[in-house]
Amino acid sequence: KAGVTQTPRYLIKTRGQQVTLSCSPISGHRSVSWYQQTPGQGLQFLFEYFSETQRNKGNFPGRFSGRQFSNSRSEMNVSTLELGDSALYLCASSLDLTVTYGYTFGSGTRLTVV
Amino acid sequence: ILNVEQSPQSLHVQEGDSTNFTCSFPSSNFYALHWYRWETAKSPEALFVMTLNGDEKKKGRISATLNTKEGYSYLYIKGSQPEDSATYLCAFIRGYSTLTFGKGTMLLVSP
């Protein structure tokens, strides 16, 4: 069975640009969450989506946005990129909101802002 | 703001040593505690999902215990092997909120 697929794997962007990252969850998983990891920090929660609805949002500025489509695929967008947005962005999917079986993570998108 | 604390931050042991890590979390309104293993260049992989006070889970040489009343969980690795080298993350979920991760314990096992 296919895992969680994140594209692209690597990105280099310039300050001020915007970027869109994509995440395709495991088939049948309806919950998708996004996390940011920067050096020295744990996984910082960005958003959680379930059945196309944003259920929770982390403490990030409005430049960070996301959405989920009817096929459960999710995208996140970061506008007006800043150097501090350079990070590994991980997407995780779960069967339902109770996360009874844990998250399945994608391989991540490594974003570098120059 | 929920704080999930993990200790130690890093650990270097010899092959065959047994080791354990601690995860501390707020004890109120507990829902579940997760453990993940994150190997370099791979994705985090779920090890255990624990929900009940006193829960004990085991997967091969790795086991975990949970104390929700005092807000801690221990992860044990018996007879560490080089392939156990990874960062071990715990994550806490309260009520209907989302998972809050600790910063992890980085384990290095030398042959």
Side-chain angles (χ1 to χ4, degrees), chain A residues 63-111:
Chain A
R63 301 185 295 107
F64 290 80
S65 63
R67 58 179 175 170
Q68 186 181 33
F69 301 96
S70 58
N71 62 359
S72 293
R73 189 177 73 85
S74 177
E75 288 181 347
M76 68 163 280
N77 183 277
V78 188
S79 62
T80 320
L81 284 165
E82 299 178 359
L83 295 179
D85 297 333
S86 295
L88 177 67
Y89 291 87
L90 284 169
C91 161
S93 74
S94 62
L95 191 61
D96 56 28
L97 289 172
T98 64
V99 210
T100 306
Y101 303 102
Y103 280 151
T104 301
F105 281 87
S107 298
T109 294
R110 173 77 62 183
L111 172 66

Side-chain angles (χ1 to χ4, degrees), chain B residues 22-25 27 33 65-74:
Chain B
T22 304
C23 172
S24 301
F25 53 87
S27 56
L33 191 285
T65 61
L66 177 67
N67 183 322
T68 61
K69 295 188 188 307
E70 296 182 39
Y72 65 84
S73 176
Y74 294 137

Side-chain angles (χ1 to χ4, degrees), chain A residues 35 48 55-56 98 103 106-107, chain B residues 31 34 36 43 96 98-99:
Chain A
Y35 288 84
E48 180 186 29
R55 184 171 166 267
N56 281 297
T98 64
Y103 280 151
S107 298
Chain B
Y31 184 79
H34 293 205
Y36 291 82
S43 310
Y96 293 102
T98 55
L99 280 178

Side-chain angles (χ1 to χ4, degrees), chain A residues 21-39:
Chain A
L21 312 182
S22 177
C23 171
S24 294
I26 287 177
S27 177
H29 283 196
R30 295 162 63 193
S31 176
V32 173
S33 296
W34 289 88
Y35 288 84
Q36 180 199 64
Q37 194 210 27
T38 51

Side-chain angles (χ1 to χ4, degrees), chain B residues 86-105:
Chain B
T87 296
Y88 291 83
L89 299 170
C90 75
F92 163 78
I93 184 167
R94 162 192 278 181
Y96 293 102
S97 68
T98 55
L99 280 178
T100 299
F101 282 85
K103 293 185 179 181
T105 293

Side-chain angles (χ1 to χ4, degrees), chain B residues 17-56:
Chain B
D17 289 348
S18 292
T19 186
N20 65 86
F21 324 132
T22 304
C23 172
S24 301
F25 53 87
S27 56
S28 62
N29 207 15
F30 174 87
Y31 184 79
L33 191 285
H34 293 205
W35 282 99
Y36 291 82
R37 175 171 58 202
W38 194 357
E39 297 177 67
T40 303
K42 294 188 178 179
S43 310
E45 172 197 0
L47 286 173
F48 305 114
V49 176
M50 309 177 79
T51 56
L52 298 175
N53 184 45
D55 245 356
E56 291 188 27

